[in-house]
């Protein structure tokens, strides 16, 4: 091969550089998914991918860079708009232009990011998760659970070093009603890509000891409020929705509810608000108990007063009642006595009647005697003895 047909690598890459610059002189808006996103020395390095909608396998890949001066502005704008930093798995709309460097090869250079595109994609994914949960019939399961009136045994899922966890414990411990709570921490990662796996693992540990607790509290504080993506996943939402104990979330953000909030029993904004909820709930229970005690006490006093009045009335009536009963009984005895006297045989004899006896027994029928028997007839004056013939 002739020497004139040879190119050095640099020379050949320079031709490519010139060709790319001439062929693609403009900037272009491109839709892609972030396969990778990392910062280094103030610059952002991205790996872009497009996947087949049916097979979800990559059909296109490319590298992209955003230089420090541009990245500082775009990153802040994106964070304010979406509430989340750029991360792997996000769908993004980037304005790019091509760059081929003789030493570093080809890359797309990012000059702008449209956060509204990502917001729409995040909202779409969230709605897909919600739709799936509702189709499974589990979206409202947590709200059907009843928080125990005496909820004092609390399983806590949080990062052990999180400021929010400390605030939660202090709030429970120093409550003005001197109510007693028993908490146990199940440590978990509360920001970043490992949130889903870590929180699910903590829920599984609690589920193994389900009878030891009245409720679960998932709290987060002290971390970046923008990094909430880990709480918007289907597996975590399914685990929370199906959990047999009421779950209270206080993951410390004021933006729209994440899916975890939506499927939990009760959602509050902060860890301290979660503690306040538990204190108020138990305080209301104690007030109901106190009210019931007062009702029972008043009822008992009313019944005692009624019985006391009844007893006093009976005590007043008793002498009169006893006297009346004794009088009635006396008259009844008199009537009986008169009736008995009316059956006295002597009275019958006085009236001219007679009584016939045989062997001391009253003769009531001729069949009571036979020929030769001696009978005795008693009269008003004297007795006649006769022999039956």
């Amino acid at each position: 091969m002739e020497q004139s047909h040879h190119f050095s690598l640099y020379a050949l890459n320079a031709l490519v550089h010139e060709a790319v610059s001439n062929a693609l002189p403009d900037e272009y808006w491109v839709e892609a998914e972030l396969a990778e996103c990392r910062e280094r020395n103030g610059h952002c390095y991205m790996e872009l991918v497009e996947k087949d909608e049916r097979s979800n396998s990559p059909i296109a890949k490319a590298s992209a860079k955003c230089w420090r001066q541009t990245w500082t502005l775009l990153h802040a704008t994106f964070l304010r708009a979406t509430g989340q930093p750029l991360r792997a798995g996000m769908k993004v709309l980037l304005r790019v232009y091509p760059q081929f460097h003789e030493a570093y090869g080809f890359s797309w250079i990012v000059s702008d990011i449209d956060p509204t595109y990502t917001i729409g994609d995040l909202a779409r994914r969230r709605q897909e998760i919600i739709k799936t949960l509702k189709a499974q019939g589990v979206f409202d399961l947590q709200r059907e659970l009843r928080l125990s009136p005496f909820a004092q045994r609390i399983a806590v899922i949080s990062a052990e070093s999180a400021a929010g966890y400390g605030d939660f414990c202090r709030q429970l411990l120093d409550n003005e009603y001197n109510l007693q709570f028993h908490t146990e921490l199940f440590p978990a990662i509360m920001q970043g890509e490992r949130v889903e796996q870590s929180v699910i693992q903590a829920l599984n540990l609690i589920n193994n000891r389900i009878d030891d607790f009245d409720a679960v509290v998932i709290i987060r504080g002290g971390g970046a409020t923008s990094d909430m993506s880990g709480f918007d996943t289907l597996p975590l939402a399914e685990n929370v929705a199906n959990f047999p104990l009421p779950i209270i979330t206080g993951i410390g953000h004021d933006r729209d509810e994440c899916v975890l909030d939506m499927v939990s029993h009760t959602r509050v904004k902060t860890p301290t608000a979660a503690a306040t909820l538990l204190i108020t709930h138990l305080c209301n229970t104690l007030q109901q108990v106190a009210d019931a005690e007062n009702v029972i006490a008043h009822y008992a006093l009313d019944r005692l007063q009624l019985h006391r009045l009844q007893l006093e009335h009976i005590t007043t009536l008793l002498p009169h009642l006893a006297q009346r009963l004794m009088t009635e009984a006396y008259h009844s005895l008199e009537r009986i006595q008169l009736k008995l006297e009316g059956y006295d045989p002597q009275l019958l004899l006085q009236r001219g009647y007679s009584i016939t006896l045989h062997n001391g027994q009253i003769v009531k029928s001729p069949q009571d005697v036979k020929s030769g028997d001696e009978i005795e007839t008693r009269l008003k004056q004297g007795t006649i003895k006769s022999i039956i013939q």
Side-chain angles (χ1 to χ4, degrees):
M1 184 176 290
E2 297 181 5
Q3 184 68 31
S4 60
H5 292 157
H6 293 182
F7 291 92
S8 69
L9 179 60
Y10 181 86
L12 187 60
N13 282 356
L15 288 176
V16 175
H17 182 161
E18 184 178 356
V20 169
S21 298
N22 292 334
L24 300 170
D26 300 319
E27 293 188 341
Y28 308 91
W29 285 101
V30 59
E31 300 175 354
E33 179 181 323
L34 289 176
E36 246 184 81
C37 184
R38 63 189 184 278
E39 285 189 54
R40 188 169 69 245
N41 298 327
H43 310 299
C44 181
Y45 298 88
M46 309 174 193
E47 292 295 328
L48 309 180
V49 66
E50 181 180 351
K51 297 177 180 178
D52 183 89
E53 292 184 358
R54 290 173 295 181
S55 64
N56 203 38
S57 57
I59 57 175
K61 291 183 179 181
S63 296
K65 300 180 180 70
C66 188
W67 303 125
R68 181 190 297 113
Q69 186 174 359
T70 305
W71 173 246
T72 301
L73 297 174
L74 294 185
H75 176 67
T77 301
F78 187 87
L79 197 58
R80 283 195 303 271
T82 65
Q84 301 185 38
L86 282 166
R87 58 177 175 80
M90 276 186 172
K91 294 287 185 65
V92 291
L93 181 60
L94 309 175
R95 189 169 67 183
V96 299
Y97 62 88
Q99 184 182 79
F100 187 88
H101 191 278
E102 287 80 358
Y104 303 111
F106 181 84
S107 181
W108 293 104
I109 306 302
V110 179
S111 62
D112 200 0
I113 302 174
D114 184 357
T116 59
Y117 177 87
T118 303
I119 291 173
D121 182 67
L122 293 173
R124 178 186 59 78
R125 291 189 183 187
R126 179 178 293 179
Q127 288 305 313
E128 288 177 355
I129 293 173
I130 293 171
K131 183 178 178 180
T132 300
L133 294 170
K134 289 184 175 180
Q136 293 173 354
V138 301
F139 187 79
D140 295 311
L141 284 184
Q142 271 281 311
R143 282 177 287 279
E144 295 175 7
L145 297 177
R146 177 172 176 264
L147 183 61
S148 168
F150 299 94
Q152 295 174 277
R153 305 171 303 160
I154 312 301
V156 183
I157 298 177
S158 178
E160 187 170 7
S161 59
Y165 172 60
D167 294 340
F168 174 81
C169 292
R170 282 190 295 273
Q171 185 85 352
L172 288 184
L173 181 63
D174 299 331
N175 70 86
E176 60 182 306
Y177 308 103
N178 199 31
L179 301 174
Q180 301 297 309
F181 293 89
H182 308 282
T183 63
E184 183 173 341
L185 176 66
F186 291 81
I189 297 169
M190 302 304 288
Q191 62 183 31
E193 297 180 3
R194 296 174 59 192
V195 168
E196 174 191 294
Q197 177 185 359
S198 183
V199 174
I200 291 175
Q201 183 178 6
L203 287 171
N204 290 337
L205 292 174
I206 297 169
N207 192 51
N208 292 336
R209 298 170 48 201
I210 201 70
D211 294 331
D212 293 341
F213 305 102
D214 301 313
V216 178
V217 172
I218 301 176
I219 51 178
R220 174 184 183 272
T225 56
S226 59
D227 193 3
M228 303 296 298
S229 58
F231 300 103
D232 269 333
T233 71
L234 180 59
L236 179 56
E238 289 174 330
N239 272 267
V240 169
N242 287 286
F243 204 74
L245 288 178
I247 293 180
I248 300 167
T249 56
I251 52 181
H253 64 107
D254 295 323
R255 301 184 66 83
D256 294 338
E257 289 180 310
C258 62
V259 177
L260 180 69
D261 289 326
M262 295 178 186
V263 297
S264 65
H265 180 277
T266 306
R267 176 249 179 169
V268 294
K269 289 184 178 180
T270 63
T272 53
T276 299
L277 183 148
L278 290 169
I279 293 168
T280 302
H281 180 75
L282 186 57
C283 186
N284 289 339
T285 298
L286 294 181
Q287 185 59 54
Q288 292 173 4
V289 171
D291 291 344
E293 288 177 346
N294 289 332
V295 169
I296 293 172
H298 283 104
Y299 177 79
L301 289 174
D302 290 344
R303 296 299 297 177
L304 287 172
Q305 181 65 16
L306 175 62
H307 291 320
R308 184 163 45 248
L309 293 174
Q310 290 175 339
L311 183 59
E312 290 176 354
H313 181 65
I314 292 172
T315 303
T316 303
L317 293 179
L318 191 58
H320 302 288
L321 181 62
Q323 186 177 358
R324 189 183 69 185
L325 291 174
M326 290 178 66
T327 301
E328 290 178 353
Y330 178 76
H331 290 317
S332 178
L333 287 173
E334 286 185 332
R335 289 193 297 272
I336 292 172
Q337 184 177 358
L338 290 174
K339 189 173 182 180
L340 290 174
E341 289 177 351
Y343 292 112
D344 188 348
Q346 292 300 323
L347 293 178
L348 294 175
L349 295 177
Q350 291 293 327
R351 295 174 188 168
Y353 293 97
S354 65
I355 299 173
T356 302
L357 303 174
H358 173 61
N359 294 331
Q361 301 294 322
I362 297 176
V363 178
K364 298 179 181 179
S365 169
Q367 283 74 26
D368 292 342
V369 295
K370 61 183 183 296
S371 179
D373 287 342
E374 182 180 283
I375 60 174
E376 180 182 301
T377 302
R378 294 182 182 178
L379 305 172
K380 178 181 178 181
Q381 296 179 349
T383 300
I384 300 173
K385 293 185 177 181
S386 308
I387 301 296
I388 302 298
Q389 292 184 345

